[in-house]
Amino acid sequence: MRQDAIFSPLFALVFLTFLVWVYMYIRRIHLITSRKLKSQDLAVPNMLAQISPPSVSNPSDNLKNLFEIPVLFYVLVLYLFITKQVDAVYVNAAWMFVVFRVLHSAVHCTFNLVMLRFYLYLFATLAVWFIAFRTAFIHFST
């Protein structure tokens, strides 16, 4: 297997992060312009968060969430590539993580059905933990 195959899911996750960031700003700008808020109204930390409805705060929360568990994913992908351990199992698990994160973000940024979002997050995170534990097991076995 080509070692760089692991970068396709990595870049897909980067692109997802970009899309959520753009969506968040579209929602924020709409809120600011529709309520005719002045920049000074938002100078106090967390003021925007306090006045934002879920349609604005959820994309922001989702973007923050894309810098939590995904950071482990990025580190693991780089470790696998550098150590030349990329195989089909890792690539499939990486794609599983990304697909569930895409679905999680779609739910979180739109209709936000919490239990569905919870399960999507759980399955995505289990994929990362699988990669982490398999990688650690191989590392400590050699």
Side-chain angles (χ1 to χ4, degrees):
M1 165 156 270
R2 290 182 43 193
Q3 293 299 297
D4 64 350
I6 198 74
F7 289 126
S8 293
L10 180 143
F11 285 119
L13 192 62
V14 168
F15 186 64
L16 171 65
T17 304
F18 173 73
L19 288 176
V20 170
W21 177 78
V22 167
Y23 185 69
M24 176 197 68
Y25 271 98
I26 290 169
R27 302 301 303 164
R28 281 184 175 181
I29 290 167
H30 176 72
L31 174 73
I32 292 166
T33 56
S34 67
R35 292 194 184 174
K36 296 180 173 58
L37 299 173
K38 297 179 182 132
S39 59
Q40 198 58 33
D41 296 336
L42 305 173
V44 176
N46 296 323
M47 182 55 71
L48 183 61
Q50 291 175 8
I51 64 170
S52 294
S55 64
V56 176
S57 63
N58 287 349
S60 178
D61 291 343
N62 188 260
L63 182 65
K64 292 173 195 168
N65 189 257
L66 286 169
F67 289 95
E68 293 172 355
I69 294 294
V71 171
L72 296 174
F73 173 74
Y74 294 133
V75 169
L76 289 164
V77 164
L78 292 174
Y79 175 83
L80 291 169
F81 179 77
I82 290 168
T83 60
K84 299 181 182 351
Q85 294 183 53
V86 175
D87 64 14
V89 173
Y90 285 127
V91 172
N92 288 330
W95 275 117
M96 187 173 120
F97 173 66
V98 170
V99 166
F100 280 106
R101 285 312 304 239
V102 166
L103 294 171
H104 172 268
S105 290
V107 170
H108 197 182
C109 291
T110 58
F111 59 92
N112 197 28
L113 184 60
V114 174
M115 285 310 296
L116 175 59
R117 197 180 92 213
F118 169 80
Y119 285 115
L120 294 170
Y121 180 87
L122 174 66
F123 294 137
T125 304
L126 288 174
V128 169
W129 289 128
F130 169 78
I131 294 168
F133 288 124
R134 183 174 184 239
T135 303
F137 179 77
I138 293 169
H139 173 76
F140 289 112
S141 297
T142 57

